[in-house]
Amino acid sequence: MNLIVCIKRVPDTETRIRVDASGKDIDESGVKYIISPYDEYALELALRTREAAGRGEVTVVTLGDSAAQETLRKALAMGADKALLLSAAPVADGLATAKALAAELTGVEAPLVLMGVKASDDDQQQVGPMLATLLDRACVTGVASFEVAEGKVVCHREVEGGTEIVEATLPAVLTVTKGEHEPRLASLKGIMAAKKKPLEEKTAEVPVSRLQVRALAEPPARPPGRVVGEGAAAVSELVRLLREEAKAI
Amino acid sequence: MAKILVFAEQRDGKVSGVAREAVSVAAGLAGPLAADVEVLALGGAGLADAAADLARFGAAAVSVGEHDALAEYNPDGYAGVVVDHVRKGDYAAILFGATTLGKDLAPRVAATLDVPLATDVTGIEAEGGKLSIVRPVYAGKAFATVEIEARPVIASLRPNVFPAVESAAEGAVSTFAPQVDPTSWKVRVVERRQASAGALDVSEATIIVSGGRGMKDPSHWGLLEGLRDALGHGTALGASRAVVDAGWRPHGEQVGQTGKTVAPKLYFAVGISGAVQHLAGMRTAKTIVAINRDADAPIFNVADYGIVGDLFEVVPRLTEEIAALRADS
Ligand SMILES: Cc1cc2nc3c(=O)[nH]c(=O)nc-3n(C[C@H](O)[C@H](O)[C@H](O)COP(=O)(O)OP(=O)(O)OC[C@H]3O[C@@H](n4cnc5c(N)ncnc54)[C@H](O)[C@@H]3O)c2cc1C
Ligand SMILES: Nc1ncnc2c1ncn2[C@@H]1O[C@H](COP(=O)(O)O)[C@@H](O)[C@H]1O
C-alpha cells in the first residue's frame, strides 16, 4: 500500500514568536524548525499502515524552500521511503498551497494521502479538505486512527463532545490529529539510512496568493500576573475578585 | 442586492451559539458591504422552527433546507448543497462557525468555489468596501491581519469571540427541499459516540476548568467536576498535554498548541505549570485563574488571579464558596 504524507516545516513549538521589521512576518533569527507536530502524527500512522501491510512505500511531500530539505530528511530518518520537495516560497493562501499539491498528486497512485489536521504555524486547518476537493477524493478530517479495508478506510474521528466512526471510499485524503501512537524518534540507524534515501526536488507551480497578510502582531500583553494569596485562606478573596472586579462569575 | 451568507450549524435540531454570533457579525457588515444578510441552515424535518430564531439577530432572510439525509452532518452532502445555494445568488461574503463541523465544511466549499478561506477569525471589519480580517496564528502567539482578494470572502468565526446582538428587524423564514444524492457521497458516518452525555466541549465553553499533572491521579478529577458543576452552565473541563499523554484524560480536552486554542471568559489552570505550548492555547482567555503550589510556576505570569497552594485544599474550598454564591443569587 502506497501512502503519501504532506508535511510542513514550521517553527518549533517552544519558539517565542517575534515580528520582523516588515511587520508582516516572523523574525526567523534563532528560530529552530521542526516537522509540524500533527504531520508527525500523520507520518507515524502512515509508517504503521505500511508496516502492517508488509509492503508499499511512504512518500513525504513538502512545498517549501530549500531549507525544507532538512525537514524531509528528518521524515526519512523516521522511516519514510522517499521524499519530494516541491520547491517554492510557501504562501499564506491555503488554497494556493492545495492547488500546488494537487497538481503534483493528480494521477499519482496512492490510495491514502495523510496530512496534519493543522499546520502549527498558520493554523488554517484547510489544506487537507481543499486538496481532497480539488482531487475529487473522499476526505475525513481530525482522524485519530484508521483501518484500511477493501476499497475503503474506516476512521475514528474526534468531534465536539465525542468520537465518530466514519467510512470513506478510497482513494482518500485524511487529516490526522493526535491519537494513541506518539510519533517515533529517528534512530541512529534511521538517520544514517536517510542520507541514502531518494529526495527528489521539483519546482512547484504555486498560483498567486489571494490571501494576503497585511500585518502580523504579537497578542496584546496581559497585565502582569497577580497572586491573591496562599492556600485555602485566599479563596474568599479570589471569589470576591472574580465576582466584583472581573465580573466573571 | 448582494448578500452575506451565514451558514448556521445545527446539532440534534438545535442551532449552535456561534450561528447567532455569526449572524450578528454579518448584520454589522451588511451596511458597509451594501448587502443583505441571509442565513442558510441544513438539517432534517422541523429545523425551520429552531432556525427561525436567527432572524432576531439581524438576518433579512432565513433559508432552511430540510432533508432526512441532512439531519446529521455529512461533508459531501452539506458541501454540495451550500455550493449549489451560493451559485444561485450574488454573495459578497460567506461566514461559518469555526467549529469541528465548520472547519470541515468551509474548506470544501471554498475549494469548490475557487476562493481562499480565513479560518478561526477573531476580528472582521469592513474598510472601504474590503474586509480586514484578524486571525490567530502560531497557536495564538501572534495575530495576523489578512485580506482576501476574491469574491465571496469566506471566513470561519471562532466561537465565543463575537457578541450575539439582537436586532429590531425580523427576517422571513422559508424552507426548501435540497437536491441530494447520498449514493454519490464518498464519506459516511457509521456511528457517533458521545464522550459523556451532555458534556460540553472546551471549544464551546465560556468557562473552562483545566487540570494538569498536579492533580496526581485520574481518580482525583471528581474535584474538578465538582468545581465545573458549581460554576454551572457553559463550563467545560480542559486538560494539559501531560495528563492527556498519561491517558488520564481524552485528547478532546487538551488545551494548547497540539490541542485546542480556546478563548473563554474564565479559565482555571489547576496544577498546570504553564508551559509555552499550554499558554499558547489559552492566553487570550479573558480572565485566568491559576492554582499551583509552586510560586515560580510560569502560569502565574499570565494569571490575573493566582493562589499559591495545594490544590487539594484550595479547590474544594473554592467549589464550596462558588456553590454558596450561586445558591444566594
Ligand atoms: C510539540 C509539543 C506540543 C505540545 N503541546 C502541548 C499542548 O497542546 N498542551 C499542553 O498543555 N502542553 C503541550 N506540550 C507539553 C508542555 O511542554 C508541557 O510538558 C505540559 O504542558 C506540562 O503539563 P502540566 O503543566 O500538566 O505538567 P507539569 O509541567 O508537570 O506541571 C504540574 C504542575 O502542578 C503543580 N502541582 C503539583 N502538585 C500540586 C498540588 N498538590 N497543588 C497545586 N499544584 C501542584 C506543580 O507545581 C507544577 O507546576 C507540548 C510539548 C511539545 C514539545
Ligand atoms: N507547504 C506545505 N507543504 C506540504 N504540506 C502542507 C503545506 N502546508 C500545509 N500542508 C499540509 O496541510 C496540513 C494542514 O495545513 P493548514 O491547512 O495550513 O493548517 C498540514 O498539516 C500539512 O499536512
Side-chain angles (χ1 to χ4, degrees):
Chain A
M1 165 134 193
N2 291 336
L3 299 104
I4 289 171
V5 185
C6 294
I7 64 174
K8 191 176 188 192
R9 175 180 182 264
V10 300
D12 189 337
T13 57
E14 289 280 349
T15 310
R16 168 154 149 55
I17 298 297
R18 284 182 312 260
V19 179
D20 73 3
S22 76
K24 293 182 186 178
D25 222 326
I26 64 162
D27 180 352
E28 294 204 27
S29 58
V31 173
K32 243 181 64 198
Y33 284 84
I34 58 168
I35 302 176
S36 184
Y38 289 111
D39 301 355
E40 281 199 342
Y41 286 106
L43 178 55
E44 179 61 34
L45 289 189
L47 296 174
R48 283 174 181 264
T49 306
R50 183 200 60 192
E51 285 157 8
R55 63 197 158 82
E57 276 184 336
V58 173
T59 306
V60 282
V61 179
T62 193
L63 183 126
D65 47 32
S66 58
Q69 278 188 7
E70 181 206 341
T71 315
L72 290 170
R73 286 279 175 219
K74 272 190 209 156
L76 292 172
M78 283 171 71
D81 302 289
K82 293 196 302 193
L84 173 61
L85 172 61
L86 296 172
S87 72
V91 292
D93 180 351
L95 185 56
T97 305
K99 283 181 181 172
L101 292 171
E104 186 56 37
L105 298 181
T106 303
V108 171
E109 198 277 317
L112 280 179
V113 177
L114 304 189
M115 329 268 291
V117 68
K118 67 176 168 188
S120 71
D121 53 356
D122 57 26
D123 292 337
Q124 301 202 87
Q125 304 201 37
Q126 56 179 231
V127 175
M130 283 175 166
L131 174 67
T133 303
L134 296 171
L135 294 173
D136 196 22
R137 293 189 189 180
C139 177
V140 184
T141 58
V143 174
S145 68
F146 64 82
E147 298 97 46
V148 179
E150 194 55 42
K152 66 180 184 190
V153 56
V154 182
C155 306
H156 294 250
R157 172 169 193 256
E158 255 185 32
V159 295
E160 282 103 347
T163 56
E164 280 179 358
I165 300 174
V166 179
E167 269 181 21
T169 55
L170 293 176
V173 175
L174 310 183
T175 76
V176 173
T177 188
K178 182 182 155 93
E180 70 180 285
H181 302 298
E182 281 303 307
R184 64 195 64 187
L185 298 171
S187 63
L188 194 59
K189 200 169 137 229
I191 294 168
M192 297 309 290
K195 292 181 180 152
K196 295 198 203 80
K197 288 179 179 173
L199 192 161
E200 191 191 344
E201 198 170 328
K202 274 189 194 172
T203 308
E205 296 294 334
V206 185
V208 173
S209 179
R210 290 177 293 163
L211 186 145
Q212 299 286 347
V213 177
R214 297 288 179 225
L216 189 69
E218 290 167 30
R222 294 194 72 89
R226 162 163 149 209
V227 170
V228 176
E230 284 186 19
V235 166
S236 300
E237 177 61 2
L238 171 66
V239 171
R240 188 190 69 78
L241 288 166
L242 285 177
R243 190 180 160 88
E244 292 172 15
E245 191 178 82
K247 301 199 179 358
I249 54 173
Chain B
M1 185 145 170
K3 289 186 272 191
I4 301 173
L5 188 71
V6 174
F7 175 81
E9 166 179 353
Q10 57 84 21
R11 225 186 295 161
D12 303 326
K14 277 198 282 198
V15 172
S16 71
V18 68
R20 285 190 282 276
E21 296 159 17
V23 175
S24 304
V25 168
L29 298 175
L33 295 185
D36 277 339
V37 178
E38 183 195 2
V39 172
L40 174 63
L42 301 180
L47 178 63
D49 291 338
D53 175 59
L54 292 170
R56 293 192 296 119
F57 296 86
V62 179
S63 304
V64 184
E66 295 183 350
H67 193 295
D68 285 346
L70 301 178
E72 295 195 328
Y73 176 64
N74 177 282
D76 300 320
Y78 275 48
V81 177
V82 174
V83 166
D84 285 346
H85 192 86
V86 171
R87 285 190 168 145
K88 283 187 210 133
D90 171 25
Y91 291 92
I94 309 176
L95 304 180
F96 293 85
T99 57
T100 302
L101 187 159
K103 287 176 186 164
D104 187 88
L105 176 60
R108 299 174 196 255
V109 171
T112 311
L113 295 175
D114 193 23
V115 283
L117 162 68
T119 307
D120 233 351
V121 168
T122 56
I124 184 163
E125 264 172 45
E127 277 172 18
K130 285 194 169 178
L131 292 177
S132 173
I133 296 172
V134 178
R135 53 180 306 272
V137 289
Y138 302 97
K141 288 182 200 167
F143 284 81
T145 304
V146 303
E147 210 171 275
I148 291 176
E149 289 154 354
R151 189 183 165 98
V153 168
I154 309 188
S156 64
L157 308 184
R158 177 176 285 189
N160 289 330
V161 171
F162 299 94
V165 188
E166 289 195 36
S167 133
E170 187 126 339
V173 182
S174 61
T175 54
F176 67 99
Q179 295 288 315
V180 294
D181 173 17
T183 58
S184 70
W185 297 350
K186 300 185 195 73
V187 170
R188 195 168 66 88
V189 178
V190 201
E191 197 185 321
R192 287 195 158 83
R193 292 184 194 153
Q194 204 67 17
S196 59
L200 185 67
D201 192 75
V202 274
S203 59
E204 301 167 300
T206 51
I207 303 182
I208 297 172
V209 177
S210 282
R213 187 146 42 199
M215 292 292 294
K216 299 258 176 353
D217 193 89
S219 65
H220 296 149
W221 247 260
L223 219 55
L224 298 186
E225 286 162 5
L227 180 56
R228 174 198 62 191
D229 295 345
L231 287 160
H233 188 70
T235 310
L237 293 180
S240 73
R241 171 165 169 176
V243 303
V244 171
D245 282 356
W248 298 359
R249 301 304 299 174
H251 180 243
E253 287 183 7
Q254 184 177 321
V255 171
Q257 193 127 20
T258 45
K260 295 193 173 116
T261 311
V262 297
K265 294 196 171 63
L266 180 56
Y267 188 91
F268 290 89
V270 182
I272 292 177
S273 59
V276 276
Q277 295 94 347
H278 190 81
L279 299 184
M282 43 64 82
R283 61 169 303 137
T284 55
K286 191 149 177 294
T287 302
I288 298 173
V289 175
I291 300 166
N292 196 306
R293 66 170 178 203
D294 173 9
D296 294 326
I299 191 75
F300 286 120
N301 298 332
V302 299
D304 300 279
Y305 307 112
I307 292 187
V308 179
D310 183 358
L311 69 90
F312 295 99
E313 288 166 17
V314 176
V315 175
R317 180 75 168 271
L318 183 60
T319 305
E320 223 172 82
E321 294 209 13
I322 288 174
L325 188 75
R326 293 183 63 92
D328 284 349
S329 54

